[in-house]
Amino acid sequence: MLKKTRITLATLSFLVILLMFMDFSGAMRWAHWLTKLQLVPALLALNVVAILVVLALTLLIGRLYCSVICPLGILQDIIFSIGKRLRRKRKRMTYSPPKNWLRYTVLVLYVIAGVCGLHIVVALLDPYAAFGRMANNFLQPLYIRGNNLLATWAERQGSYAFYQVDLHTIVLPTLIAAVVTIVVIAILAWLGGRTYCNTICPVGSLLGLFSRYSLFKITVDEDKCVKCRKCERDCKASAINSKLGSIDYSRCVMCGDCIETCDSSALVIRRAGRKPAPVKTASDKPLNAGRRSFLLGTAMATVAVTYGQEKKKVDGGLATIEDKQKINRQTPLTPPGSFSGGNLANHCTACQLCVSACPNGVLQPSTSLHNLMQPTMSYENGYCRPECTRCSEVCPTGAIRRITAADKTAIHIGHAVWLRDNCVVLRDDVSCGNCSRHCPTGAITMVPLWPDNPSSRRRPAVDENKCIGCGACENLCPARPFSAIYVEGHEVHRCD
């Protein structure tokens, strides 16, 4: 019962977080509290409630966070479990001394990197962000392709219950980071269970400092223990020394596997410092097992309840539109709600959740070393619609603060710039006005190309005081491959 409860809650947590990274419709908005409960994002966002919940849980019953809430920790358990089933000879774990010099060195360097602004180090070692990059690069494209196949089939049946979704652009740095992460995690988890969690992961090392002093711990009853070593062989954290009858609580993730495998009921969850009760009869064993299951199940349930591209064709397929090329902006565009490029850089862990959630394909991982893998805005695939606030709703770190649609229309993230040589009015000698027609704020007006000739063709003029930088003009400009009008970013956003 104990193991089943933990597995059930971990499975639900893992699937919910995974679906959030694959969701493109906004249906998973109700579950964003689970991403805000991740420790590194909570620390960056100064989310006091989430931090206190995680620390209180750890001080109460150890590193349960790593077994039930952390998606990368759960992924390691899944890989280890698959490995045990696929091997011809069952993998048997043995106790290994803790590599404290390594784990705490990594933790100290991680903290120093965060303080010094080395954002790439923070992003690469944050377990939640690492899982997000894997989900965004490997699973979301497959999910979208499956959706598009279903939409095509439904359309042929005369149903429009599903709709086509454009695949987001996969950026090489995030893909490389995701591939390296999954390879390292898979090898370490396959061979050694929680090796990554207990030697490299800074969150595991930090929680390990607190779990030593947890109120309830798994303890060995020496009077019942028969030294069979089953618990040691099944401990994926290599934290049980059956010879000495001791457990390294800084590495124990409270998975309950050892309690489940012990035939003599020598392992029990007991309040720290409390001595085991004398054994009177064998009938006491089912009662102890029930207490263990109830205690761990209640703790986990409490936490769960508490924190609550292909080219496009037109003209019947007779003409192919040339793809737009990405604009090389002097100042990168950052999403409304990020306030400035500096705020985004200091808080973002590059988890890619905002990239996954963006319904218009505007947010893309950066390839610049200054803010590598963090989201930037680009308008080749769409523009930032004034009514959409999806990225601000899902960001767990405070890099993009929550805003309303009304707030968004008053935030100026950049301003439009007209490029005379690219404009079809001059280049092709035709009338256009597409940018002016689609500007949601009326910042673009059409004026005579030659001021001394009012009847001449008209070209766009930009009022920077009205422009909010949404990119509608850039995205809908018919000039190819480079737009005749583009948005230059503001380092610090301006609000009306």
Side-chain angles (χ1 to χ4, degrees):
M1 184 63 187
L2 174 66
K3 187 175 180 179
K4 289 180 180 178
T5 303
R6 191 263 306 173
I7 291 176
T8 300
L9 292 178
T11 301
L12 291 175
S13 174
F14 184 81
L15 290 177
V16 167
I17 293 177
L18 186 61
L19 286 174
M20 280 192 291
F21 279 97
M22 296 191 294
D23 176 40
F24 53 81
S25 64
M28 297 298 295
R29 293 182 185 180
W30 60 271
H32 291 153
W33 62 268
L34 196 54
T35 62
K36 297 182 187 298
L37 196 58
Q38 305 301 316
L39 188 56
V40 172
L43 289 170
L44 290 173
L46 296 179
N47 189 338
V48 178
V49 174
I51 295 171
L52 291 178
V53 167
V54 173
L55 292 182
L57 176 66
T58 305
L59 290 173
L60 176 66
I61 202 167
R63 284 175 53 186
L64 196 63
Y65 170 95
C66 298
S67 286
V68 176
I69 299 175
C70 177
L72 194 66
I74 300 171
L75 178 62
Q76 292 175 70
D77 289 347
I78 293 173
I79 295 173
F80 180 71
S81 179
I82 293 174
K84 286 201 305 184
R85 286 170 171 76
L86 293 182
R87 291 187 188 94
R88 293 181 180 179
K89 186 176 181 180
R90 186 180 179 186
K91 172 71 175 179
R92 293 191 172 187
M93 307 297 293
T94 57
Y95 173 78
S96 62
K99 297 177 176 60
N100 290 333
W101 65 271
L102 175 60
R103 59 199 296 208
Y104 294 126
T105 298
V106 172
L107 177 60
V108 170
L109 293 177
Y110 187 76
V111 174
I112 293 174
V115 173
C116 295
L118 299 176
H119 316 301
I120 185 64
V121 177
V122 176
L124 289 175
L125 291 182
D126 173 24
Y128 162 74
F131 177 82
R133 287 188 291 272
M134 290 187 287
N136 178 264
N137 283 275
F138 302 145
L139 297 181
Q140 195 195 41
L142 295 176
Y143 184 76
I144 291 178
R145 287 186 183 277
N147 170 84
N148 291 347
L149 288 174
L150 186 60
T152 301
W153 175 82
E155 185 177 348
R156 291 174 180 174
Q157 306 303 315
S159 171
Y160 294 91
F162 303 92
Y163 59 90
Q164 296 278 345
V165 179
D166 291 334
L167 285 168
H168 68 268
T169 303
I170 295 179
V171 179
L172 186 59
T174 58
L175 179 61
I176 293 175
V179 170
V180 172
T181 302
I182 188 60
V183 169
V184 171
I185 292 295
I187 292 175
L188 293 179
W190 186 278
L191 298 176
R194 288 273 183 160
T195 302
Y196 179 89
C197 192
N198 286 326
T199 56
I200 301 174
C201 178
V203 173
S205 299
L206 177 62
L207 294 181
L209 294 173
F210 292 93
S211 63
R212 299 172 186 266
Y213 309 103
S214 60
L215 181 61
F216 292 96
K217 300 176 180 178
I218 297 176
T219 58
V220 181
D221 188 341
E222 294 290 349
D223 294 333
K224 296 181 180 179
C225 182
V226 295
K227 306 296 182 181
C228 66
R229 300 188 65 187
K230 283 187 177 180
C231 56
E232 180 178 338
R233 292 166 182 166
D234 277 357
C235 180
K236 55 199 169 194
S238 300
I240 300 178
N241 188 339
S242 57
K243 291 182 179 180
L244 300 179
S246 63
I247 299 174
D248 182 358
Y249 297 112
S250 70
R251 290 185 290 167
C252 174
V253 293
M254 297 298 291
C255 64
D257 290 355
C258 56
I259 296 177
E260 189 77 14
T261 196
C262 183
D263 296 330
S264 58
S265 298
L267 290 166
V268 295
I269 295 179
R270 185 180 294 117
R271 194 173 63 214
R274 184 177 179 182
K275 296 182 179 180
V279 181
K280 296 181 179 179
T281 62
S283 61
D284 290 333
K285 293 182 181 179
L287 179 60
N288 290 335
R291 284 178 176 175
R292 296 195 293 266
S293 301
F294 176 77
L295 177 62
L296 187 55
T298 302
M300 291 187 289
T302 301
V303 174
V305 172
T306 301
Y307 231 85
Q309 234 139 72
E310 298 177 351
K311 295 183 178 179
K312 298 179 181 179
K313 295 187 176 182
V314 295
D315 298 337
L318 298 178
T320 300
I321 298 179
E322 186 178 2
D323 288 337
K324 282 197 173 189
Q325 297 296 319
K326 193 171 184 179
I327 299 292
N328 185 19
R329 309 177 204 275
Q330 293 183 357
T331 304
L333 285 164
T334 57
S338 61
F339 301 126
S340 67
N343 178 73
L344 183 72
N346 290 331
H347 291 84
C348 180
T349 60
C351 72
Q352 311 300 307
L353 184 56
C354 58
V355 175
S356 299
C358 181
N360 302 308
V362 170
L363 291 180
Q364 298 178 9
S366 171
T367 57
S368 171
L369 290 177
H370 174 66
N371 57 341
L372 189 65
M373 299 189 296
Q374 294 181 346
T376 58
M377 303 178 73
S378 191
Y379 298 132
E380 293 81 50
N381 302 318
Y383 66 94
C384 191
R385 297 182 178 273
E387 72 277 6
C388 177
T389 58
R390 191 82 63 80
C391 60
S392 76
E393 295 172 0
V394 302
C395 180
T397 66
I400 308 174
R401 300 295 176 125
R402 182 71 178 266
I403 59 173
T404 64
D407 295 331
K408 187 175 180 179
T409 57
I411 298 175
H412 300 255
I413 64 172
H415 64 275
V417 178
W418 179 56
L419 300 176
R420 183 185 184 92
D421 294 340
N422 291 354
C423 189
V424 296
V425 174
L426 284 89
R427 191 179 65 188
D428 300 331
D429 194 25
V430 296
S431 297
C432 181
N434 218 33
C435 52
S436 177
R437 284 193 297 272
H438 293 94
C439 179
T441 63
I444 303 176
T445 56
M446 302 303 292
V447 299
L449 183 60
W450 312 111
D452 56 350
N453 183 9
S455 62
S456 63
R457 296 191 186 279
R458 294 180 172 269
R459 56 94 172 174
V462 180
D463 184 347
E464 293 185 8
N465 292 324
K466 291 184 178 180
C467 181
I468 60 175
C470 68
C473 55
E474 179 182 327
N475 174 250
L476 299 170
C477 177
R480 294 293 190 280
F482 296 102
S483 293
I485 192 166
Y486 79 100
V487 179
E488 185 63 47
H490 292 164
E491 183 61 38
V492 178
H493 298 174
R494 177 170 58 85
C495 297
D496 291 337

